[in-house]
Amino acid sequence: MTQRPKFALIKQHIIDNIQAAKWVENQRVPSENELAEQFSVSRMTARRALSELTEAGILTRSQGLGTFVASLKSQSSLLEIKNIADEVQARNGVYSCSVLSLESISAVAPIAIALGVEINSQVYRSVLVHNENEQPLQVEERFVNPALAIHYLQQDFNHVTPHEYLSQVAPLTEARHTVEAIMPTSEVCQWLSLYNEEPCLQVIRRTWSSEGIVSFARLISPGSKYRLGGHLTFKRH
């Protein structure tokens, strides 16, 4: 049996303490030096464990103060998680979907890290085009943790969107987004029926349930057809 790397053991130790409520929200966790001494590893190994958990949103780091357990509560965001089929229907449009790929693949390093799984382990991948009134609106490439959505590949995404299905089997507790303008590849242009290259809006989204990271998705929409909006309500103190 392959021995797990030390940084992975440190990560699991931290996660176990948080899940067991031994370490609560905003509580300081051991430093790099303390973890290095406890697990007989280098500071670099301990730093990697803390950095990956910070990137995953489990920990938060404050310069000069240390590393703390992040808030486990969902937070309001400018970018709400909405089901694209509902968005289209709310505009009185007709929603449809084209499934381009639905497969199990070996996770390369960036995907494995994003999903919190072992490199080269099997993960699920889907590529869909969401349509409004038979016109391509958005390309969705999604990587899914099989442990949290066992029957993902058996779903008919012409009748239920990946977001709907995953919300049922692994209810969303947290999401993180990165939004940027990109120029589409020739492949994306073909999928979106873009005959003249135009800037697109790309959203990189990671979602969590109470059991861990559920999916990592890349959503690409033509700038001329899609926009983001939201509403924030601030509480008075």
Side-chain angles (χ1 to χ4, degrees), residues 7 25 32 45-46 55 87-88 107 120 148 160 170-171 193 208 214 223:
F7 80 89
E25 290 181 29
E32 292 175 8
T45 298
E55 173 64 24
E87 289 186 41
V88 171
N120 294 325
L148 301 181
V160 60
S193 298
W208 282 258
V214 179

Side-chain angles (χ1 to χ4, degrees), residues 38-39 50 68 78 88 111 155 172 209 215 219:
Q38 180 179 349
F39 286 87
L50 292 175
F68 302 84
L78 274 172
V88 171
I111 301 303
Q155 302 311 302
L172 182 69
S209 75
S215 73
L219 313 171

